[in-house]
């Protein structure tokens, strides 16, 4: 299985790792098939994501996709961030092996769950 340079970079040097203790929204998604788990934390001001962090337990692709998802979502409005999907994440990483595409779902789904929690408040 071969990963792109961007996947390897985001795995080795993940962006926005951590937690936000007073987050406006938190979303956690797991995949029982592979055992990966991703949690995304967002802070929102004036309808825009001003801070975003993640914690992932999983493979290189799961970590890289979570890192890229946070980069794609930072600064976006909630509606713009809700539009980020698995293909957007994979494309931003210059592709993922087909067997690892489910990892991009985790990050996007956790982001969407965090936004939905924020919007429900």
């Amino acid at each position: 299985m071969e990963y792109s340079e961007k996947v390897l970079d985001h795995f080795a040097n993940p962006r926005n790792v951590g937690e936000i203790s007073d987050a406006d929204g938190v979303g956690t998604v797991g995949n029982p098939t592979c055992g990966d788990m991703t949690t995304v934390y967002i802070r929102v001001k004036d309808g825009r994501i001003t801070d975003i962090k993640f914690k992932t337990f999983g493979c290189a692709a799961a970590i890289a996709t979570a890192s890229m998802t946070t980069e794609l979502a930072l600064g976006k409005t909630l509606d713009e961030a809700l539009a980020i999907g698995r293909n957007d994440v994979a494309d931003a990483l210059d592709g993922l092996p087909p067997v690892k595409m489910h990892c991009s779902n985790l990050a996007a789904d956790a982001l969407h769950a965090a936004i939905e929690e924020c919007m429900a408040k």
Side-chain angles (χ1 to χ4, degrees):
M1 183 175 339
E2 193 167 316
Y3 290 116
S4 71
E5 287 298 317
K6 281 189 180 178
V7 170
L8 295 175
D9 179 43
H10 276 267
F11 168 64
N13 307 293
R15 284 64 152 180
N16 305 306
V17 175
E19 297 179 34
I20 299 173
S21 60
D22 58 344
D24 296 308
V26 179
T28 300
V29 176
N31 184 324
T33 304
C34 64
D36 292 353
M37 173 89 53
T38 295
T39 301
V40 172
Y41 307 81
I42 58 171
R43 181 169 292 128
V44 178
K45 184 172 182 181
D46 299 326
R48 203 169 279 281
I49 297 174
T50 58
D51 194 11
I52 185 167
K53 301 280 188 229
F54 80 92
K55 291 181 87 174
T56 292
F57 175 81
C59 65
I63 293 167
T65 58
S67 174
M68 180 55 80
T69 297
T70 63
E71 287 214 318
L72 292 173
L74 186 61
K76 298 270 194 297
T77 66
L78 294 179
D79 286 337
E80 290 168 340
L82 275 172
I84 296 170
R86 71 186 270 178
N87 291 330
D88 299 314
V89 177
D91 290 348
L93 288 167
D94 294 336
L96 286 170
V99 71
K100 292 296 183 177
M101 279 301 288
H102 68 277
C103 296
S104 62
N105 276 348
L106 282 182
D109 290 350
L111 170 63
H112 297 163
I115 292 168
E116 289 164 10
E117 180 183 278
C118 177
M119 293 171 87
K121 288 183 177 179

